[in-house]
Coordinates of all heavy atoms in Angstrom, one line a residue:
T1344 N 1.1 9.6 -10.6 CA 1.1 9.1 -9.3 C -0.1 8.1 -9.2 O -1.0 8.1 -10.0 CB 0.8 10.3 -8.3 OG1 -0.4 10.9 -8.6 CG2 2.0 11.2 -8.2
V1345 N 0.0 7.3 -8.2 CA -1.0 6.3 -7.8 C -1.3 6.4 -6.4 O -0.4 6.5 -5.5 CB -0.5 4.8 -8.1 CG1 -1.5 3.8 -7.6 CG2 -0.2 4.7 -9.6
L1346 N -2.6 6.4 -6.0 CA -3.0 6.4 -4.6 C -3.5 5.1 -4.2 O -4.5 4.6 -4.8 CB -4.1 7.5 -4.4 CG -4.5 7.7 -3.0 CD1 -3.4 8.2 -2.1 CD2 -5.7 8.6 -3.0
L1347 N -2.8 4.4 -3.3 CA -3.2 3.1 -2.7 C -3.9 3.4 -1.4 O -3.2 4.0 -0.5 CB -2.0 2.2 -2.6 CG -2.3 0.9 -1.9 CD1 -3.2 0.0 -2.7 CD2 -1.0 0.2 -1.6
V1348 N -5.1 3.0 -1.2 CA -5.8 3.1 0.1 C -6.1 1.7 0.6 O -6.8 1.0 -0.1 CB -7.1 4.0 -0.1 CG1 -7.8 4.1 1.3 CG2 -6.7 5.4 -0.6
E1349 N -5.7 1.4 1.8 CA -5.8 0.0 2.2 C -5.7 -0.1 3.7 O -5.2 0.8 4.4 CB -4.7 -0.8 1.6 CG -4.7 -2.3 1.9 CD -6.0 -3.0 1.5 OE1 -6.2 -3.3 0.3 OE2 -6.9 -3.2 2.3
H1350 N -6.3 -1.1 4.3 CA -6.2 -1.5 5.7 C -4.8 -2.1 5.8 O -4.4 -2.9 4.9 CB -7.2 -2.5 6.1 CG -8.6 -2.0 6.2 ND1 -9.1 -1.4 7.2 CD2 -9.6 -2.0 5.2 CE1 -10.4 -1.0 7.0 NE2 -10.7 -1.4 5.7
F1351 N -4.1 -1.9 6.9 CA -2.8 -2.6 7.2 C -3.0 -3.6 8.3 O -4.0 -3.5 9.1 CB -1.8 -1.6 7.7 CG -1.1 -0.7 6.6 CD1 -0.2 0.2 6.9 CD2 -1.5 -0.9 5.2 CE1 0.4 1.0 5.9 CE2 -0.9 -0.1 4.3 CZ 0.1 0.8 4.6
R1352 N -2.2 -4.6 8.3 CA -2.2 -5.5 9.4 C -1.4 -4.9 10.6 O -0.2 -5.0 10.7 CB -1.5 -6.8 9.0 CG -1.6 -7.9 10.1 CD -0.9 -9.2 9.7 NE -1.3 -9.7 8.4 CZ -0.7 -10.7 7.7 NH1 0.4 -11.2 8.2 NH2 -1.1 -11.1 6.6
D1353 N -2.2 -4.2 11.4 CA -1.6 -3.5 12.5 C -2.5 -3.6 13.7 O -3.6 -4.1 13.7 CB -1.3 -2.0 12.1 CG -2.5 -1.3 11.6 OD1 -3.6 -1.7 11.8 OD2 -2.3 -0.2 11.0
L1354 N -2.1 -3.0 14.9 CA -2.9 -3.1 16.1 C -4.3 -2.5 16.0 O -5.2 -3.1 16.5 CB -2.1 -2.4 17.3 CG -0.9 -3.3 17.8 CD1 -0.2 -2.5 18.8 CD2 -1.4 -4.6 18.3
P1355 N -4.5 -1.3 15.4 CA -5.8 -0.8 15.3 C -6.8 -1.7 14.6 O -7.9 -1.9 15.0 CB -5.7 0.6 14.6 CG -4.3 1.0 14.9 CD -3.5 -0.3 14.9
N1356 N -6.3 -2.3 13.5 CA -7.2 -3.2 12.7 C -7.4 -4.6 13.5 O -8.4 -5.2 13.3 CB -6.6 -3.5 11.3 CG -6.9 -2.3 10.4 OD1 -8.1 -2.0 10.2 ND2 -5.9 -1.6 9.9
L1357 N -6.4 -5.0 14.3 CA -6.6 -6.2 15.1 C -7.7 -5.9 16.1 O -8.6 -6.8 16.3 CB -5.3 -6.5 15.8 CG -5.4 -7.6 16.9 CD1 -5.9 -8.9 16.3 CD2 -4.1 -7.8 17.7
A1358 N -7.7 -4.7 16.7 CA -8.7 -4.4 17.7 C -10.1 -4.4 17.1 O -11.1 -4.8 17.7 CB -8.4 -3.0 18.3
V1359 N -10.3 -4.0 15.8 CA -11.6 -3.9 15.2 C -12.0 -5.2 14.5 O -13.1 -5.7 14.7 CB -11.6 -2.8 14.1 CG1 -12.9 -2.8 13.3 CG2 -11.4 -1.5 14.8
F1360 N -11.1 -5.9 13.8 CA -11.4 -7.0 13.0 C -11.0 -8.4 13.7 O -11.4 -9.4 13.2 CB -10.7 -7.0 11.7 CG -11.2 -5.8 10.8 CD1 -10.5 -4.7 10.6 CD2 -12.5 -5.9 10.2 CE1 -10.9 -3.6 9.9 CE2 -13.0 -4.8 9.5 CZ -12.2 -3.7 9.3
G1361 N -10.3 -8.3 14.8 CA -9.9 -9.5 15.5 C -9.0 -10.3 14.6 O -8.2 -9.8 13.8
P1362 N -9.1 -11.7 14.6 CA -8.3 -12.5 13.7 C -8.4 -12.2 12.2 O -7.6 -12.5 11.4 CB -8.7 -13.9 14.0 CG -9.6 -13.9 15.2 CD -10.0 -12.5 15.4
G1363 N -9.5 -11.6 11.8 CA -9.7 -11.2 10.4 C -8.7 -10.3 9.9 O -8.5 -10.1 8.7
F1364 N -8.0 -9.6 10.8 CA -7.0 -8.6 10.4 C -5.8 -9.3 9.7 O -5.1 -8.7 9.0 CB -6.5 -7.8 11.6 CG -5.2 -8.2 12.2 CD1 -4.1 -7.4 12.3 CD2 -5.2 -9.5 12.8 CE1 -3.0 -7.8 12.9 CE2 -4.0 -9.9 13.4 CZ -2.9 -9.1 13.5
L1365 N -5.7 -10.6 9.8 CA -4.7 -11.4 9.1 C -4.9 -11.4 7.6 O -4.0 -11.7 6.9 CB -4.6 -12.8 9.7 CG -4.1 -12.9 11.1 CD1 -4.3 -14.3 11.7 CD2 -2.7 -12.4 11.3
H1366 N -6.1 -11.0 7.2 CA -6.4 -10.9 5.8 C -5.6 -9.8 5.1 O -5.4 -9.8 3.9 CB -7.9 -10.7 5.6 CG -8.4 -10.4 4.3 ND1 -8.5 -11.3 3.3 CD2 -8.7 -9.2 3.7 CE1 -8.9 -10.8 2.2 NE2 -9.1 -9.5 2.4
F1367 N -5.3 -8.8 5.9 CA -4.6 -7.6 5.4 C -3.1 -7.8 5.4 O -2.5 -8.6 6.2 CB -4.9 -6.4 6.3 CG -6.3 -6.1 6.5 CD1 -6.8 -5.9 7.8 CD2 -7.2 -6.0 5.4 CE1 -8.2 -5.7 8.0 CE2 -8.6 -5.8 5.6 CZ -9.0 -5.6 6.9
F1368 N -2.4 -7.1 4.4 CA -0.9 -7.2 4.4 C -0.4 -6.2 5.4 O -1.0 -5.1 5.6 CB -0.4 -6.7 3.1 CG -0.5 -7.7 2.0 CD1 -0.5 -7.3 0.6 CD2 -0.6 -9.1 2.2 CE1 -0.6 -8.2 -0.4 CE2 -0.7 -10.0 1.2 CZ -0.7 -9.6 -0.1
P1369 N 0.7 -6.4 6.0 CA 1.4 -5.4 6.9 C 1.9 -4.3 6.0 O 2.1 -4.4 4.8 CB 2.6 -6.2 7.5 CG 2.4 -7.6 7.2 CD 1.5 -7.7 6.0
G1370 N 2.0 -3.1 6.6 CA 2.5 -1.9 5.8 C 3.8 -2.2 5.2 O 4.1 -1.8 4.0
R1371 N 4.7 -2.9 5.8 CA 6.1 -3.1 5.3 C 6.0 -4.0 4.0 O 6.8 -3.8 3.1 CB 7.0 -3.8 6.3 CG 6.7 -5.2 6.7 CD 7.6 -5.7 7.7 NE 7.2 -7.0 8.2 CZ 6.3 -7.3 9.1 NH1 5.7 -6.3 9.7 NH2 5.9 -8.5 9.4
E1372 N 5.0 -4.9 3.9 CA 4.8 -5.7 2.7 C 4.3 -4.8 1.6 O 4.8 -5.0 0.4 CB 3.8 -6.8 3.0 CG 3.6 -7.7 1.8 CD 4.8 -8.5 1.3 OE1 5.8 -8.5 2.0 OE2 4.7 -9.2 0.3
W1373 N 3.4 -3.9 1.8 CA 2.9 -3.0 0.7 C 4.1 -2.2 0.2 O 4.3 -2.0 -1.0 CB 1.8 -2.1 1.3 CG 0.5 -2.7 1.4 CD1 -0.2 -2.9 2.6 CD2 -0.4 -3.2 0.4 NE1 -1.4 -3.5 2.4 CE2 -1.5 -3.7 1.0 CE3 -0.3 -3.3 -1.0 CZ2 -2.6 -4.3 0.3 CZ3 -1.3 -3.8 -1.7 CH2 -2.4 -4.3 -1.1
R1374 N 4.9 -1.7 1.2 CA 6.1 -0.9 0.8 C 7.1 -1.7 0.0 O 7.7 -1.2 -1.0 CB 6.7 -0.3 2.0 CG 5.9 0.8 2.6 CD 6.6 1.5 3.8 NE 5.6 1.9 4.8 CZ 5.1 1.2 5.8 NH1 5.6 0.0 6.1 NH2 4.2 1.7 6.6
R1375 N 7.3 -3.0 0.4 CA 8.2 -3.9 -0.3 C 7.7 -4.1 -1.8 O 8.5 -4.1 -2.7 CB 8.4 -5.2 0.4 CG 9.4 -6.1 -0.2 CD 9.3 -7.5 0.4 NE 8.1 -8.2 -0.1 CZ 7.9 -8.7 -1.3 NH1 8.8 -8.6 -2.2 NH2 6.7 -9.4 -1.6
L1376 N 6.4 -4.4 -1.9 CA 5.9 -4.7 -3.2 C 6.0 -3.4 -4.1 O 6.4 -3.6 -5.3 CB 4.4 -5.0 -3.1 CG 4.1 -6.4 -2.5 CD1 2.6 -6.6 -2.1 CD2 4.5 -7.5 -3.5
C1377 N 5.7 -2.3 -3.6 CA 5.9 -1.1 -4.4 C 7.3 -0.8 -4.8 O 7.6 -0.5 -6.0 CB 5.3 0.1 -3.6 SG 3.5 0.0 -3.3
A1378 N 8.2 -0.9 -3.9 CA 9.6 -0.6 -4.2 C 10.1 -1.7 -5.2 O 10.9 -1.3 -6.1 CB 10.5 -0.7 -2.9
G1379 N 9.8 -2.9 -5.0 CA 10.2 -4.0 -6.0 C 9.7 -3.7 -7.4 O 10.4 -4.2 -8.3
A1380 N 8.6 -3.0 -7.5 CA 8.1 -2.7 -8.9 C 8.6 -1.4 -9.4 O 8.3 -1.1 -10.6 CB 6.6 -2.7 -8.8
G1381 N 9.5 -0.7 -8.7 CA 10.0 0.5 -9.2 C 9.1 1.7 -8.8 O 9.2 2.8 -9.5
L1382 N 8.3 1.6 -7.8 CA 7.5 2.7 -7.4 C 8.1 3.3 -6.1 O 8.5 2.6 -5.2 CB 6.0 2.2 -7.1 CG 5.3 1.7 -8.3 CD1 4.0 1.0 -7.9 CD2 5.0 2.8 -9.3
Q1383 N 8.1 4.6 -6.1 CA 8.6 5.3 -4.9 C 7.5 5.8 -4.0 O 6.5 6.4 -4.5 CB 9.5 6.5 -5.5 CG 10.2 7.2 -4.5 CD 11.1 8.3 -5.2 OE1 10.8 8.8 -6.2 NE2 12.2 8.6 -4.6
L1384 N 7.7 5.7 -2.7 CA 6.7 6.2 -1.8 C 6.9 7.7 -1.6 O 7.9 8.1 -1.1 CB 6.9 5.5 -0.4 CG 5.9 5.9 0.7 CD1 4.5 5.5 0.3 CD2 6.3 5.2 2.0

Side-chain angles (χ1 to χ4, degrees):
T1344 57
V1345 173
L1346 181 63
L1347 172 70
V1348 179
E1349 184 57 81
H1350 294 271
F1351 283 178
R1352 186 184 303 167
D1353 56 15
L1354 287 176
N1356 282 298
L1357 171 62
V1359 172
F1360 295 105
F1364 96 121
L1365 294 172
H1366 172 77
F1367 307 128
F1368 286 157
R1371 70 181 175 278
E1372 180 65 7
W1373 285 113
R1374 290 181 210 93
R1375 184 193 70 76
L1376 288 167
C1377 295
L1382 297 169
Q1383 185 174 30
L1384 183 63

